[in-house]
């Protein structure tokens, strides 16, 4: 039979291993979620940027998106919603921060 000290030591080692494994799993899951959010928005960004290739100013971009939302163009509006929900930073490649805020309000 093991002494109380050995049982305590083995229990402590076991619990430490479980805690360390839990920490590693938690950090990996967070990393995976961030990666998934970026990848979810890639196709949506391609749809929006292709549709906006002729609009140069922020005002033109907003006007075009208002047309999409008014007419219910689901490919474009769904893509805007996907980007607003998952990766707003992707929009920074084609528009300013103020325009991003405006268009993400349009979708509501």
């Amino acid at each position: 039979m093991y002494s109380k000290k050995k049982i305590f030591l083995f229990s402590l080692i076991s619990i430490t291993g479980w805690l360390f494994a839990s920490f590693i799993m938690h950090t990996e899951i967070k990393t995976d979620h961030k990666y998934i959010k970026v990848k979810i928005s890639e196709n949506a960004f391609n749809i929006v940027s292709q549709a906006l290739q002729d609009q140069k100013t922020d005002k033109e971009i907003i006007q075009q998106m208002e047309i999409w939302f008014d007419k219910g163009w689901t490919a474009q509006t769904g893509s805007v919603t996907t980007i607003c929900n998952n990766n707003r930073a992707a929009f920074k490649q084609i528009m300013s921060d103020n325009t991003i805020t405006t268009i993400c309000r349009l979708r509501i």
Side-chain angles (χ1 to χ4, degrees), residues 17-28:
W18 279 101
L19 290 174
F20 182 69
S22 297
F23 171 75
I24 296 293
M25 284 177 28
H26 177 71
T27 55
E28 285 300 313

Side-chain angles (χ1 to χ4, degrees), residues 24-90:
I24 296 293
M25 284 177 28
H26 177 71
T27 55
E28 285 300 313
I29 289 171
K30 277 179 72 173
T31 303
D32 287 348
H33 281 159
K34 288 178 185 176
Y35 178 76
I36 289 169
K37 282 190 168 235
V38 169
K39 291 302 177 185
I40 284 172
S41 63
E42 272 185 9
N43 186 51
F45 178 76
N46 290 337
I47 291 170
V48 172
S49 64
Q50 178 69 28
L52 293 174
Q53 68 184 356
D54 295 333
Q55 281 69 30
K56 303 296 183 213
T57 66
D58 287 348
K59 186 176 178 181
E60 290 174 332
I61 290 172
I62 292 171
Q63 288 172 344
Q64 182 62 51
M65 288 194 182
E66 285 173 341
I67 292 169
W68 295 347
F69 281 98
D70 288 341
K71 292 187 177 184
W73 292 7
T74 56
Q76 290 82 1
T77 59
S79 296
V80 170
T81 302
T82 299
I83 296 168
C84 286
N85 288 343
N86 295 296
N87 189 14
R88 285 186 183 197

